[in-house]
Structure formats: structure tokens, C-alpha cells
């Protein structure tokens, strides 16, 4: 019974969606709702890495007020970018990468953010999470974006048994029908921030708790 219910993807995503609706979307998704431009998705996702959502929103808005397109970004110095990106995590490294990215996109891609994962992954500081978000939110492509929340919750549910977000991405693509792919990150990020926390998750508040195997969950509330 447990396995059947937890692998009822309509049921699971319905529980996640209800929590998502009453909570708040991840910062990059909020930016997407306003901008819907691959450039903004790429830049804000890079800013979001190891940075809290509120900081990501404020820093992204501050940067876009000065550089709302790739050409304007290219015209900024690394020092100026560093100042604009503060206090996001690793702001100096991100400033240097964004400066390089702007030059590469202008010189090699005619100013257009690449629309395929191979080219996106060639950009400095861009990993699979960032590349997949650009494809999903910027180009409306079907893919799965896996961050720490998606990786953690997918393993706790017993959907996958993986050691890294990259392994989880490919395992989920084998497991899940395509119709579930695009919103999975939004739903699980929201759920992971509020309910299925990394340490001591709120299992008593979780609509999946009765069936969830709680893989590697020790203390819970």
C-alpha cells in the first residue's frame, strides 16, 4: 500500500501543489513572472546559488535596474558588479563569472542566451541546476531542475536512491512522466522550505507522512 500511494504521482504532486499555493514561489520563479526572459533567468539563478531567496530578489532587482540586458551587463566592470551583487553569497566570484558570461554570449551567441544545455554548461559558473532553469523558465522546455530540496525529498519519498543532484535528475527523468517535470522544482523547493526541512522535518504537517518511507529521516516533528 505504501509504495502504491507514494508512487501515485498525481496524488503526491497534488499535495505538493496545495502547499505551494499557500506558500511562496522560489525567488527565480517570482522574477520569471515579471520578466520571462532567458537573460533574467540565467542571471538571477546564478545570483541565487547559496543565497537566501529574499537576498536573491533584492540583489537581482538592484542589478536589473542597472543592467536589464546582456549588453548593459557586459558594460559593467567586475568591481561595479561586485558592488551590485553584495551581499549574495560568493558575490565576487559571481561578478567575475557574469562579466565573462556576458562577453561570451555577445561574442559567440549574438547576444542571445543559449537554448540548449550543452552550450549553457560551457558558461562559467553554470551547472545543471542553472541550465535547466533557463530551459524550463526561459525557453518553456521540458526538463527537471534538481537542487538540494528536490534531491532530498525525492530520496526521502523513496522515488530515487541517489548520492548527488545530478544522479537524481537523470533518475527522475526515467521515473516521472514528462508532464510532471517542469513544476517539480517549484513544488519541492517550496515544500522543502516549509515542511520537509533538511533537519527535523514537520512530518505531522505533511500530507504524505502516512505513506512516506522517510528514508534517512532521524528526528522529525
Amino acid at each position: 500500500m505504501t509504495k502504491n500511494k507514494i508512487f501515485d504521482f498525481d496524488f503526491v504532486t497534488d499535495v505538493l501543489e496545495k502547499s505551494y499555493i499557500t506558500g511562496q514561489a522560489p525567488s527565480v520563479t517570482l522574477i520569471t513572472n515579471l520578466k520571462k526572459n532567458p537573460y533574467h533567468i540565467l542571471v538571477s539563478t546564478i545570483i541565487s546559488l547559496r543565497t537566501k531567496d529574499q537576498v536573491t530578489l533584492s540583489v537581482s532587482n538592484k542589478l536589473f535596474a542597472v543592467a536589464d540586458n546582456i549588453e548593459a551587463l557586459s558594460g559593467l566592470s567586475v568591481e561595479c558588479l561586485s558592488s551590485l551583487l553584495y551581499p549574495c553569497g560568493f558575490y565576487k566570484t559571481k561578478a567575475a563569472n557574469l562579466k565573462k558570461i556576458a562577453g561570451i554570449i555577445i561574442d559567440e551567441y549574438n547576444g542571445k542566451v543559449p537554448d540548449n544545455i550543452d552550450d549553457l554548461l560551457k558558461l562559467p559558473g553554470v551547472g545543471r541546476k542553472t541550465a535547466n532553469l533557463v530551459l524550463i523558465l526561459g525557453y518553456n522546455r521540458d526538463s527537471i531542475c534538481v537542487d538540494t530540496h528536490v534531491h532530498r525529498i525525492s530520496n526521502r519519498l523513496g522515488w530515487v536512491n541517489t548520492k548527488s543532484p545530478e544522479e537524481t535528475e537523470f533518475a527522475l527523468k526515467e521515473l516521472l512522466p514528462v508532464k510532471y517535470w517542469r513544476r517539480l522544482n517549484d513544488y519541492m523547493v517550496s515544500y522543502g522550505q516549509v515542511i520537509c526541512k533538511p533537519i527535523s522535518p514537520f512530518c505531522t504537517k505533511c500530507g504524505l507522512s502516512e505513506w512516506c518511507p522517510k528514508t534517512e529521516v532521524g528526528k522529525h516533528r
Side-chain angles (χ1 to χ4, degrees):
M1 293 295 293
T2 299
K3 182 176 180 181
N4 288 341
K5 195 68 174 178
I6 218 65
F7 280 80
D8 180 344
F9 303 125
D10 282 334
F11 168 75
V12 174
T13 54
D14 183 58
V15 171
L16 298 178
E17 183 180 25
K18 287 177 180 176
S19 177
Y20 174 77
I21 291 171
T22 58
Q24 180 168 304
S27 57
V28 176
T29 301
L30 293 175
I31 292 168
T32 304
N33 292 338
L34 296 174
K35 299 288 187 178
K36 296 186 178 181
N37 183 304
Y39 163 76
H40 298 96
I41 308 309
L42 173 62
V43 172
S44 59
T45 304
I46 290 173
I47 291 171
S48 75
L49 302 175
R50 299 194 180 184
T51 300
K52 293 182 178 180
D53 271 9
Q54 287 184 331
V55 176
T56 296
L57 280 171
S58 63
V59 169
S60 296
N61 288 330
K62 181 170 59 172
L63 176 59
F64 294 145
V66 176
D68 204 40
N69 55 62
I70 198 72
E71 290 78 15
L73 181 67
S74 178
L76 299 178
S77 67
V78 173
E79 292 74 18
C80 180
L81 276 169
S82 293
S83 177
L84 290 168
L85 295 182
Y86 181 82
C88 78
F90 301 95
Y91 65 94
K92 291 184 179 179
T93 300
K94 291 174 183 178
N97 284 337
L98 285 173
K99 178 70 175 180
K100 293 175 184 175
I101 287 171
I104 292 170
I105 290 177
I106 289 171
D107 293 341
E108 299 183 19
Y109 300 99
N110 297 316
K112 179 185 177 183
V113 173
D115 61 357
N116 68 84
I117 197 161
D118 290 335
D119 286 338
L120 285 166
L121 290 174
K122 293 176 184 177
L123 300 175
V126 173
R128 295 195 67 86
K129 171 190 171 181
T130 300
N132 278 313
L133 269 185
V134 171
L135 295 177
I136 294 168
L137 299 178
Y139 287 108
N140 201 32
R141 303 284 175 79
D142 290 320
S143 194
I144 298 178
C145 174
V146 176
D147 68 351
T148 57
H149 295 291
V150 178
H151 174 63
R152 178 178 72 256
I153 296 172
S154 297
N155 275 275
R156 282 181 176 173
L157 288 174
W159 281 4
V160 299
N161 180 15
T162 54
K163 300 299 183 183
S164 70
E166 183 171 343
E167 287 182 23
T168 300
E169 177 193 336
F170 291 114
L172 287 174
K173 284 180 176 177
E174 290 289 327
L175 176 69
L176 295 174
V178 174
K179 70 176 184 176
Y180 299 106
W181 288 11
R182 298 185 67 238
R183 298 306 300 275
L184 190 67
N185 181 262
D186 273 4
Y187 290 170
M188 285 194 173
V189 168
S190 178
Y191 210 70
Q193 291 174 338
V194 178
I195 303 293
C196 198
K197 290 177 173 287
I199 300 174
S200 189
F202 288 99
C203 294
T204 56
K205 298 180 180 180
C206 178
L208 304 172
S209 183
E210 180 179 351
W211 304 277
C212 177
K214 302 178 180 62
T215 304
E216 295 190 3
V217 174
K219 180 182 178 182
H220 60 82
R221 292 170 277 182

